[in-house]
Amino acid sequence: MTYADIASTLSQKIDDSRFSAGTLLDRYNGYSPMSYLSPQARAAVGDKLTRVSANFCRVAVDELAQRLRIVGTALDGQHDADLWQRWSASGMVAGSNAVTKGALITGRAAVSVWANGDTITVRPESALQTAWNVDPLTGRCTEAMKVFPGRDGKPKAMLFLPDRLVALSSPAYVNNSPVPPDQWVTIGELPNPLGIPALIPVTNALTTESTYGDSEMSPLVAANDLLEKLLTDAAVSSEFYARPLRYISGLESLPEDEAGNPVEPFGDGMRTWVTTEVDAKIGQLAGSVGDYDKLISQVLQVLAGLSGLPANVLGVSHSNPTSSDAITASGLTLTSRAEDRATIHNPSWNLVVSCMASLRDGGDPLKINGSIVRADARYSSEAAEADAVTKLLGAGVISRSAALRRLGYTPDEISEIEADVAREATIKALMSSDAA
């Protein structure tokens, strides 16, 4: 296949996936439609309440991503400070979190790795701009593509192949889409020393059938829409409760306009209704907003079950944990889910580290044992965690370095602490010798 043929196939993939990915990203950003709302309810709300966003889809993604933080890089199981410095210089401390969130939201994201001289660049890539082909036997990426708008206003693309990078441009313009289907023209090439595409997919594939990954938000959408519907109904009810519907009966006649048509005798803004007719009766319809609390609480519990979030995080007030152990126990489901997602994502991230090492030192990235270091997925209070770690350290079950990792310190911070401890021990020994 020619470069143009590969680009045409991958650009079609990008275009096909943009709608679903864009919809999920919109929901993450709080732009969800007002579902289940009747025309009468919309009319009652008017322009005073265009939408209600109770964005627990975002809360679920953010809480899960928080437990998947990358805090270090390693080669052959040993912390590599130089790679971590290069990782940080590329902005990947925050960028890795953006990739993780993208994979959790849309089911897929990517990371590009490249070197310009001694400078290694690692960048997060969006599902809206990238696509790739996968070998069905090995499961590895065989070619990948990123599209983006050029400075001249024309669509540009980078084709990532095992042996080269190919820059493409297209004169075609497609309405409402930056991805042209064809007419890609090669405008430049660069050799690829990695031997594999320099764009590494990060796919949140929960089953073997998940070719393009699974969104963590998909199971929550219906329940979240129901919650927003109930909150909208409560807002509409509060409007009628604050300004109840009033009625009057027993009037002999109604005032008329110049055309002889009956008109409303009392304006909507009138606080007091008064009539001189003896047989007239005035009243108002009762209303209440108290019935929504139980329904909203039930939907929140459904969201907690689907997302693995502790009920207290969702605002269920009667589920607040009363101790540090209760806090830890309430998050066990989310911790287990985070550990499972880490297992799914780690091969891709480890390959990113191996590619960085290959660009720095040379060698086949598939034969380099690069890996990432993640923060502990468990959550507990600082006091409870420190107490548990101190007991394990005192009993000789874990080392000082392991204890510091359990407490959430990064490899760089652990190295600094170890250096401080060694320096203090040296000073103490010198003082003891002087005193003797």
Side-chain angles (χ1 to χ4, degrees), residues 399-402 404 413-423:
S399 65
R400 183 194 301 274
S401 296
L404 293 172
E413 291 171 334
I414 293 173
S415 298
E416 291 178 6
I417 293 172
E418 295 286 5
D420 290 341
V421 171
R423 184 166 51 252

Side-chain angles (χ1 to χ4, degrees), residues 228-251:
E228 291 178 349
K229 188 264 184 187
L230 293 174
L231 291 172
T232 304
D233 286 350
V236 174
S237 297
S238 69
E239 176 71 12
F240 284 102
Y241 183 71
R243 304 177 65 186
L245 292 176
R246 295 174 178 175
Y247 64 87
I248 184 169
S249 62
L251 290 179

Side-chain angles (χ1 to χ4, degrees), residues 73 79-91 356 412:
T73 55
H79 172 58
D80 192 307
D82 179 68
L83 282 181
W84 180 247
Q85 188 277 327
R86 293 171 185 265
W87 180 283
S88 302
S90 290
M356 293 176 65
D412 286 341

Side-chain angles (χ1 to χ4, degrees), residues 206-247:
L206 306 184
T207 67
T208 54
E209 288 74 27
S210 303
T211 305
Y212 299 107
D214 300 291
S215 170
E216 299 290 336
M217 289 168 38
S218 294
L220 310 178
V221 167
N224 203 96
D225 283 349
L226 177 57
L227 175 64
E228 291 178 349
K229 188 264 184 187
L230 293 174
L231 291 172
T232 304
D233 286 350
V236 174
S237 297
S238 69
E239 176 71 12
F240 284 102
Y241 183 71
R243 304 177 65 186
L245 292 176
R246 295 174 178 175
Y247 64 87

Side-chain angles (χ1 to χ4, degrees), residues 131-144:
W132 48 85
N133 290 327
V134 175
D135 188 321
L137 297 179
T138 64
R140 291 179 182 148
C141 175
T142 56
E143 54 259 341

Side-chain angles (χ1 to χ4, degrees), residues 309-327:
L309 291 172
N312 61 294
V313 173
L314 294 173
V316 181
S317 58
H318 57 75
S319 297
N320 290 327
T322 57
S323 66
S324 60
D325 287 339
I327 292 174

Side-chain angles (χ1 to χ4, degrees), residues 322-336:
T322 57
S323 66
S324 60
D325 287 339
I327 292 174
T328 303
S330 66
L332 286 178
T333 300
L334 188 59
T335 299
S336 176

